[in-house]
Structure formats: structure tokens, C-alpha cells
Amino acid sequence: MVFETQIVAHKEVAKGTHEVSLKRPSAFAFRAGQYLQLALPKLAHSDPKGRSRQFSVASSPYDMDEIKVVFRFSGSGFKETLINTPIGDLVQVEQAAGSFLLPQKLTRPQVFVAGGVGISPFMSYLQQRIDDVWEQPVTLLYGNQSPESAAYLGELQQMSKQHRQFSLDNIYKRPTPGLFAKLTEKYTDAVWWVVGPPGMVSVTVNGLHLGGISADKIMTEPFEGY
Ligand SMILES: Cc1cc2nc3c(=O)[nH]c(=O)nc-3n(C[C@H](O)[C@H](O)[C@H](O)COP(=O)(O)OP(=O)(O)OC[C@H]3O[C@@H](n4cnc5c(N)ncnc54)[C@H](O)[C@@H]3O)c2cc1C
């Protein structure tokens, strides 16, 4: 199903990182972890890849007013046009899709690994569940070049103070398989969820395998296109 809906806000949420809020159509349903396809009616800057892109939803499924997506500036014609589309203008979104479904009941510790705007599905999840009682701890390993380029850093720090089962560990160096192999020693019994550009996802998964984590305990969402 395709919905026509309005842009309601633009916001820079970190250096070079843009959040777009859309009015949530009443029939738009999604679960934390899913993505949508966003299409612009026409492009003001040409783009060989066309007038639509896939984005994970960054807002809570409980937010019935808005849906949010977040991306880095890249210079592509699509993003240039979207950033400059005025509030109130119409765009199209397809019904949410995807099988990267973050767990509602925690039967073992969880480790979330986000590379840059790979934070998006985890923001959706954490905002939805932050007031719940969690049966198991959740750790977010959040990789960025610098604190200035880490989207939602303040909110995440606040969440880690608010929820005793949630901890945040920022990584400001280039990920290597060795880094993640070492980290497996700290989270022996965990399920791993890895989101970000395909290169970052594959480096992380290689490291987890080196550290002895089996494939059934690793869930991934590579942002194809980066
Ligand atoms: C399931 C799924 C979920 C996703 N979720 C997200 C998400 O939440 N956030 C997100 O950001 N992405 C997400 N992606 C990826 C997204 O769909 C895009 O492919 C990605 O953001 C790159 O789009 P782009 O328009 O920047 O680059 P593309 O047009 O695909 O170009 C690739 C790169 O080329 C360069 N480039 C292109 N055009 C120009 C130009 N005119 N001038 C200079 N340089 C240029 C830029 O460096 C750009 O990054 C997701 C993908 C999938 C499959």
C-alpha cells in the first residue's frame, strides 16, 4: 500500500546528519526495526538512482503522529531534493517492510551494534520500550567518527541514565574484526543485532564469527546503497 503524506519537520540531528519527520498516515503500521520506501513526486536535482530510497524508521511505533527517518548528507540528487522540500509538501511512503524485528521479550542479553545512521531502528525500539521492565540487559555499541557526528547522542545518554538495564558504549575508531572478536569475551551469552553500511556490517560479523558467535545469534540489516 502506498500513502501520500506531508513533511512536517526537518532537523539536523548531528554533523552532516538530517532527520525528516512525516505525518503518520493512520493506516501506516510498523514494528521497531522495519524500513519504509520514501518517494519524492519529482527531483529538483537529477539522480541516476531515481526518486526513492529505503530508510529504517527511527521513531517509536507508539508515536501515532509522526514517522521519522534519518540519513547522512551525501550530495545525491535525491537527498538534496528531500532536504530542500518545504514543510507541508507531499511525499509518498510505502507500507513498512522487513524482517529485522527487534525483540519484544528478552530471553537473553542483547547487544545492538550501530554504525552511524544505523542507529535508526534501535532508536525506534528504545523509545518504544524505555519505560518497560526488561528481563535482560541491552548494550548499544555505537560507532561514529566523532561525538559531533553521532545522531541522538544526548537522548541515548539520557536513556542509559534512566534505564538500569541499558548501557551505551561509544566507539570512535574504525571498526576491525579484531575489535569485535575481543568484545565477544564481554558478552558471551548475547544475541547480536548489527545495522549500518554493508562494509561495517561485514567487518562486525567477521569479528563476531572470529570470537565464536554462531550465525543464529547474529541478526543484520545492511543499509545497501551506502
Ligand atoms: C533495509 C534498508 C534500510 C536502510 N535504511 C537507511 C537509513 O535509515 N538511513 C540511511 O541513510 N540509509 C538507509 N539505507 C540506504 C539508503 O536507501 C540509501 O541507499 C543510502 O542512504 C545512500 O543514498 P544516497 O542518496 O546518499 O546515495 P546514492 O545516490 O546511492 O550514492 C551513493 C554515494 O555516492 C555519492 N554521490 C551520489 N551522488 C552524488 C552527487 N551528485 N555528488 C556527490 N556525491 C554523490 C555519495 O557519497 C553517496 O553516498 C537503507 C537501505 C536498506 C536496504
Side-chain angles (χ1 to χ4, degrees):
M1 190 190 290
V2 177
F3 304 96
E4 197 147 85
T5 190
Q6 278 180 322
I7 294 187
V8 292
H10 287 287
K11 192 173 163 190
E12 192 168 345
V13 287
K15 194 172 103 197
T17 312
H18 195 87
E19 179 193 83
V20 176
S21 304
L22 308 170
K23 187 172 159 49
R24 181 171 174 173
S26 55
F28 182 88
F30 72 100
R31 277 182 57 186
Q34 291 192 300
Y35 64 89
L36 54 75
Q37 177 101 13
L38 192 159
L40 300 168
K42 62 178 187 318
L43 290 169
H45 306 270
S46 67
D47 190 315
K49 290 203 180 154
R51 57 182 185 86
S52 72
R53 294 288 188 278
Q54 290 164 330
F55 294 113
S56 293
V57 183
S59 48
S60 166
Y62 292 162
D63 183 344
M64 302 314 289
D65 297 329
E66 293 181 6
I67 28 179
K68 297 182 182 184
V69 298
V70 64
F71 55 87
R72 300 277 200 223
F73 301 131
S74 70
S76 73
F78 171 86
K79 287 182 181 171
E80 281 299 304
T81 306
L82 177 56
I83 288 166
N84 292 300
T85 301
I87 289 170
D89 275 19
L90 293 173
V91 296
Q92 288 181 338
V93 288
E94 273 181 31
Q95 188 60 276
S99 54
F100 187 83
L101 299 173
L102 289 155
Q104 298 301 307
K105 188 167 164 49
L106 307 178
T107 53
R108 54 202 315 159
Q110 311 288 315
V111 181
F112 296 166
V113 185
V117 288
I119 195 61
S120 183
F122 300 128
M123 277 309 286
S124 175
Y125 179 82
L126 292 168
Q127 291 174 97
Q128 179 185 26
R129 297 220 56 214
I130 202 72
D131 294 326
D132 291 354
V133 175
W134 296 352
E135 307 83 357
Q136 298 282 343
V138 175
T139 303
L140 171 64
L141 307 177
Y142 188 19
N144 284 280
Q145 278 182 357
S146 64
E148 296 71 39
S149 59
Y152 309 116
L153 186 57
E155 288 97 319
L156 290 164
Q157 287 166 336
Q158 189 57 39
M159 286 177 189
S160 70
K161 285 186 197 139
Q162 183 187 340
H163 206 299
R164 69 180 177 80
Q165 290 276 55
F166 174 55
S167 47
L168 170 66
D169 193 354
N170 290 290
I171 299 172
Y172 297 121
K173 57 185 168 193
R174 185 166 273 281
T176 59
L179 172 74
F180 285 98
K182 184 102 189 99
L183 280 165
T184 58
E185 294 166 12
K186 202 168 160 189
Y187 308 104
T188 43
D189 194 31
V191 178
W192 294 75
W193 301 79
V194 187
V195 186
M200 166 267 163
V201 170
S202 92
V203 163
T204 306
V205 170
N206 288 345
L208 297 180
H209 287 324
L210 274 178
I213 307 294
S214 56
D216 62 320
K217 299 216 180 56
I218 306 172
M219 272 23 105
T220 62
E221 183 76 301
F223 283 179
E224 301 296 343
Y226 263 112

